Amino acid sequence: MRVDPGLAAETRQLHDTLLVVNGLDASELRSELIPNLRAGGVAANLVTGLRDGVRPLTTVASPHLHFLREHGDTLVHATTVADIRRARREGKTAIVLGWQRSDYVGEDVNRLLGFHRLGLRSAGLVYNVGNYVGSGCVDPEHGGLSHLGVEVVRELQRLRIVVDIGGHCSEATSFDALEFTTGTVVCSHTNPRALRPGNPRTMTDGLMRAIADRGGVIGITAFNFFLVPFGLATIADYLDHVEYVVDLVGPKHVGIGLDQIIGRVVMGPVDPRPFPPEAYPPRYEDWIYPDELTDFSGVPLITAGLLERGHGDDDIADIMGLNWLRVWEEVWGA
């Protein structure tokens, strides 16, 4: 994206004032990620990616917790919005830990209390294919929440953990989650199906409206295959997706959820059961991102693009982070 000098100066001035929040990151939690987040001005990052081959908070010996302790000079393990704001004041980056699926509960919803005490603050329900909780977006038949799934979403809300629906969940499971909960729910990372028809990993207008009607936020991913069906997407394509959802539900209900996979090096064919070709490229080396958004250093270009397209400073501040903070404060408490 070519930015003229005047817009570049305006972008720098605005971006430096923003509290930028990435609502979903699948990158490996490594030391190399820290300067990259800072390069993009990201104040808070919701981490769901691997550390030493393990997902966040799936064990009391979580390597993510050890990493955050070792890097306490630059990172803050945030479990409250106050932690995020403190990290910003101290010049550190806030890391929120979450799941993209609730398989780790097994068949015992009581395990969620322990995960919450470890720091779990956001939980997806299903990852593409069904589990004990509900059905996934690529399942041949879309069923609603199971009896256990109803218990899980209710316990998540009782513990004040964000319920993350849509995207990887089937829409039937997602609408059930709305039925059996109250208050705010989110979709941390998806794209509008209207712009990527035929891809089951994207979300319908109806579900996006339902999330917004409950006060939630829809995070927009930068995953290339969710933006365009072929070829290399550009940041303009990403901005088209953001603007589509803004036009649909309003700027108070849209955020960034880039879903990057920085640090993960996987080659070869994917397993077509969870990753069918209509939803994902069939080889891992084609799991790519627009050139400008291959890592967090490109995040200021989102701000620049929104400015260039005529969005006001307040709306940009909401989309770039304040909407996530509002939702997290509503769910977690202050």
Side-chain angles (χ1 to χ4, degrees):
M1 177 179 175
R2 190 173 296 173
V3 180
D4 71 65
L7 178 60
E10 187 180 0
T11 297
R12 281 195 299 273
Q13 184 176 8
L14 175 59
H15 195 77
D16 288 346
T17 70
L18 300 178
L19 204 161
V20 177
V21 179
N22 182 37
L24 193 290
D25 184 27
S27 303
E28 297 223 359
L29 188 59
R30 296 179 176 179
S31 57
E32 295 86 351
L33 190 65
I34 301 170
N36 191 250
L37 287 164
R38 294 181 68 85
V42 179
N45 192 38
L46 196 158
V47 169
T48 65
L50 298 168
R51 172 71 186 167
D52 297 338
V54 179
R55 294 290 174 188
L57 305 180
T58 56
T59 167
V60 293
S62 173
H64 293 73
L65 295 179
H66 287 276
F67 179 88
L68 292 172
R69 182 178 64 179
E70 292 163 6
H71 293 273
D73 58 331
T74 54
L75 300 178
V76 170
H77 177 198
T79 59
T80 65
V81 169
D83 287 340
I84 295 172
R85 295 192 184 280
R86 173 173 59 84
R88 173 67 176 269
R89 290 195 302 271
E90 295 175 356
K92 299 179 181 181
T93 303
I95 300 295
V96 179
L97 296 177
W99 293 344
Q100 294 197 46
R101 59 180 180 232
S102 295
D103 299 49
Y104 315 109
V105 173
E107 298 181 69
D108 185 2
V109 71
N110 293 316
R111 293 180 181 177
L112 281 170
L113 175 60
F115 292 128
H116 177 265
R117 295 291 174 86
L118 288 172
L120 181 70
R121 289 299 179 269
S122 179
L125 304 179
V126 181
Y127 192 90
N128 290 355
V129 294
N131 58 13
Y132 289 130
V133 172
S135 67
C137 65
V138 303
D139 281 333
E141 295 185 11
H142 289 180
L145 286 174
S146 66
H147 290 297
L148 176 67
V150 173
E151 292 182 28
V152 166
V153 296
R154 286 175 170 167
E155 183 66 1
L156 287 171
Q157 285 214 310
R158 192 183 74 82
L159 293 170
R160 309 193 78 164
I161 298 169
V162 173
V163 177
D164 184 2
I165 66 171
H168 291 293
C169 299
S170 73
E171 298 227 338
T173 288
S174 298
F175 277 111
D176 264 8
L178 287 164
E179 180 179 349
F180 288 103
T181 58
T182 59
T184 306
V185 297
V186 308
C187 179
S188 60
H189 60 302
T190 191
N191 295 81
R193 190 165 299 170
L195 299 187
R196 270 296 276 121
N199 188 319
R201 178 58 182 78
T202 59
M203 184 181 287
T204 63
D205 288 3
L207 184 53
M208 287 190 285
R209 287 193 187 100
I211 291 171
D213 287 346
R214 291 278 289 271
V217 173
I218 299 105
I220 308 303
T221 85
F223 189 66
N224 195 85
F225 197 64
F226 300 163
L227 295 171
V228 295
F230 50 82
L232 182 62
T234 66
I235 195 164
D237 294 310
Y238 182 77
L239 291 165
D240 288 345
H241 282 241
V242 171
E243 285 197 310
Y244 180 88
V245 184
V246 168
D247 290 343
L248 182 73
V249 298
K252 292 288 186 184
H253 302 288
V254 182
I256 62 171
L258 298 175
D259 194 23
Q260 290 162 323
I261 49 176
I262 301 164
R264 291 181 63 185
V265 181
V266 185
M267 306 292 283
V270 305
D271 180 348
R273 188 179 70 91
F275 304 117
E278 65 270 22
Y280 293 84
R283 296 188 64 83
Y284 280 114
E285 49 264 43
D286 294 322
W287 288 29
I288 58 176
Y289 296 78
D291 283 342
E292 303 95 331
L293 291 173
T294 56
D295 62 24
F296 290 105
S297 65
V299 168
L301 292 175
I302 303 174
T303 300
L306 292 171
L307 276 171
E308 188 174 40
R309 293 181 180 215
H311 296 270
D313 291 2
D314 289 345
D315 287 348
I316 293 172
D318 287 340
I319 294 165
M320 296 301 292
L322 294 186
N323 288 336
W324 286 123
L325 289 193
R326 170 183 57 79
V327 165
W328 290 350
E329 193 161 37
E330 288 172 3
V331 177
W332 304 342

